[in-house]
């Protein structure tokens, strides 16, 4: 087993269904479910699967998805076929559900959505039933989907569905999102409740970066008597942030939030498009820097649901999520940074064949986040937490 054993004192569960992986968004679309195949190959080549409980997830049922989504929208997802994109009598519905270039109709769409959603729901239930302390679903994390609308490559919001499961047992759930995009769908779903604290770190540029929401002062409903007031935390960033600054910011913000809010469970969205060299992203994080955030969240010892999200350079997505799996099973120190000879698709990891290539040096984007700016963001978040305490 390459010396990899089960972690001491807690259980990690892995939730996946290989039937998710072959779905195809269409020619040259950035979202590639195949990155999950690559991730799994790395995890298995290192023997990490011996350290976890492995669950083949089932598809979420229509009723389970209807706990958040509108039934007419789910009905549409269930019956629509690629040819409907050209059918004039369907064009109004297609437009109203925001189907288009970002969120196309492809073969097996409903199957794809119900499988990744089923994974996150199952993972949440394992935590709630005390059958796992850390539950992982790398196929989930699709944070932009709305009640009755697709958005940003997301159709069904598995995170919202997972949090709804956790809320059955935990009075307070904290959501942390390190995808380079704003976690708008999750924020919006829990905007008016104080039972979920959402925290998103993201590139923010109202007019030029998707989805254009997530400003620092967007903190929850404006009315102070609305329970959701102050329960959305947004950390808007500029291009080029690097490991050390990001990690310091992450620890200050997340540490203060956990201390003040005392969540019973944490959901961590690990979107890998915040890595350097991402096809859509604009940050300079390395695999190690991204992983350090996961490691920090693990130190709280609070039941943890870990999901994937964005990530558009598949070789780096799989590096990050394999490394983060090793952190979660407490085996990061047993992982050879040289990618094993035995891994399938090893050619994707050349020419370095390293788990930790210097991404921040390969396509350095100028860092537009001054120390003063980052300090002002931390100060604003701490001020917000004072209000939250009431
Ligand atoms: O910026 C946008 C919206 C547009 C309209 C649609 N066109 C295609 C792009 C500009 C304003 N959308 C973003 C969506 C990002 C979603 C991120 C999802 C996540 O990581 O947060 C969670 C999973 C966007 N950025 C880049 C693209 N869309 C893009 C879409 C394509 C494409 C190239 C870039 C769709 C199809 C094809 N190429 C062939
Ligand atoms: Ca984010
Ligand atoms: Zn993203």
């Amino acid at each position: 087993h390459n010396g990899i054993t089960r972690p001491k004192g807690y259980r990690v569960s892995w939730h996946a269904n290989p039937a998710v992986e072959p779905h195809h968004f269409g020619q040259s679309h950035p979202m590639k479910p195949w990155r999950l195949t690559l991730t799994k190959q790395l995890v298995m080549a290192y023997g990490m699967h011996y350290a976890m409980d492995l669950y083949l997830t089932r598809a979420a049922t229509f009723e389970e998805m209807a706990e958040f989504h509108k039934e007419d929208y789910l009905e549409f997802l269930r019956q629509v076929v690629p040819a409907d994109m050209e059918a004039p009598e369907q064009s109004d519905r297609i437009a109203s559900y925001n189907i288009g270039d970002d969120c196309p109709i492809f073969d097996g769409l409903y199957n794809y959505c119900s499988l990744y959603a089923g994974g996150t729901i199952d993972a949440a239930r394992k935590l709630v039933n005390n059958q796992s302390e850390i539950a992982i679903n790398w196929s989930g994390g699709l944070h932009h989907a709305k009640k009755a609308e697709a958005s940003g490559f997301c159709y069904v919001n598995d995170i919202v569905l997972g949090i709804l499961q956790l809320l059955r047992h935990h009075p307070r759930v904290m959501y942390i999102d390190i995808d380079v995009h704003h976690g708008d769908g999750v924020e919006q779903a829990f905007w008016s409740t104080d039972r979920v604290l959402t925290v998103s770190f993201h590139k923010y540029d109202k007019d030029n970066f998707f989805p254009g929401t997530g400003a620092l002062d967007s903190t929850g409903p404006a009315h102070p008597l609305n329970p959701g007031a102050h329960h959305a935390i947004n950390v808007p960033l500029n291009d080029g942030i690097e490991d050390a600054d990001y990690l310091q910011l992450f620890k200050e913000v997340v540490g203060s939030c956990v201390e003040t809010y005392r969540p019973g469970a944490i959901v961590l969205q690990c979107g890998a498009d915040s890595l350097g060299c991402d096809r859509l992203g604009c940050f300079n994080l390395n695999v190690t820097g991204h992983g350090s955030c996961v490691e920090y969240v693990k130190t709280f010892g609070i039941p943890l649901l870990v999901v994937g999200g964005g990530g558009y350079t598949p070789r780096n997505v799989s590096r990050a999520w394999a490394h983060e799996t090793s952190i979660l099973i407490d085996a990061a120190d047993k992982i050879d940074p040289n990618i094993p000879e035995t891994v399938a698709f090893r050619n994707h990891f050349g020419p370095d064949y390293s788990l930790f290539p210097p991404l921040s040096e390969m396509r350095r984007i100028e860092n537009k986040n001054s120390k003063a700016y980052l300090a002002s963001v931390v100060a604003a978040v701490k001020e917000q937490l004072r209000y939250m305490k009431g």
Side-chain angles (χ1 to χ4, degrees), residues 27-31 101-102 141-144 152-154 179 181 210 269 273 279-280 309-312:
Q27 183 132 46
S28 71
H29 192 288
M31 178 54 101
D101 290 340
D102 274 355
L142 299 165
H143 58 179
H144 298 304
F153 319 159
C154 308
D179 190 289
H181 298 99
F210 186 87
Q269 196 266 22
D273 47 7
R279 178 173 159 195
L280 298 191
Y312 305 100

Side-chain angles (χ1 to χ4, degrees), residues 224-251:
L225 294 179
N226 188 310
H230 316 298
H231 285 76
I233 290 179
N234 281 300
V235 183
L237 298 167
N238 303 309
D239 283 2
I241 192 163
E242 309 208 356
D243 291 339
D245 284 347
Y246 192 94
L247 186 59
Q248 188 189 342
L249 176 72
F250 185 84
K251 285 183 172 175

Side-chain angles (χ1 to χ4, degrees), residues 166 169-174 195 261-266 301-304:
L166 295 170
H169 288 252
H170 295 287
R172 293 177 306 285
V173 174
M174 181 168 159
R195 292 190 60 203
Y261 191 64
R262 292 178 297 105
I266 297 178
I302 295 171
L304 180 60

Side-chain angles (χ1 to χ4, degrees), residues 131-164:
Q131 291 171 315
S132 173
E133 279 66 45
I134 299 177
I136 306 172
N137 172 22
W138 292 124
S139 72
L142 299 165
H143 58 179
H144 298 304
K146 309 288 155 47
K147 196 181 272 293
E149 201 182 292
S151 175
F153 319 159
C154 308
Y155 303 83
V156 165
N157 200 316
D158 62 293
I159 304 170
V160 170
L161 297 173
I163 292 174
L164 288 173

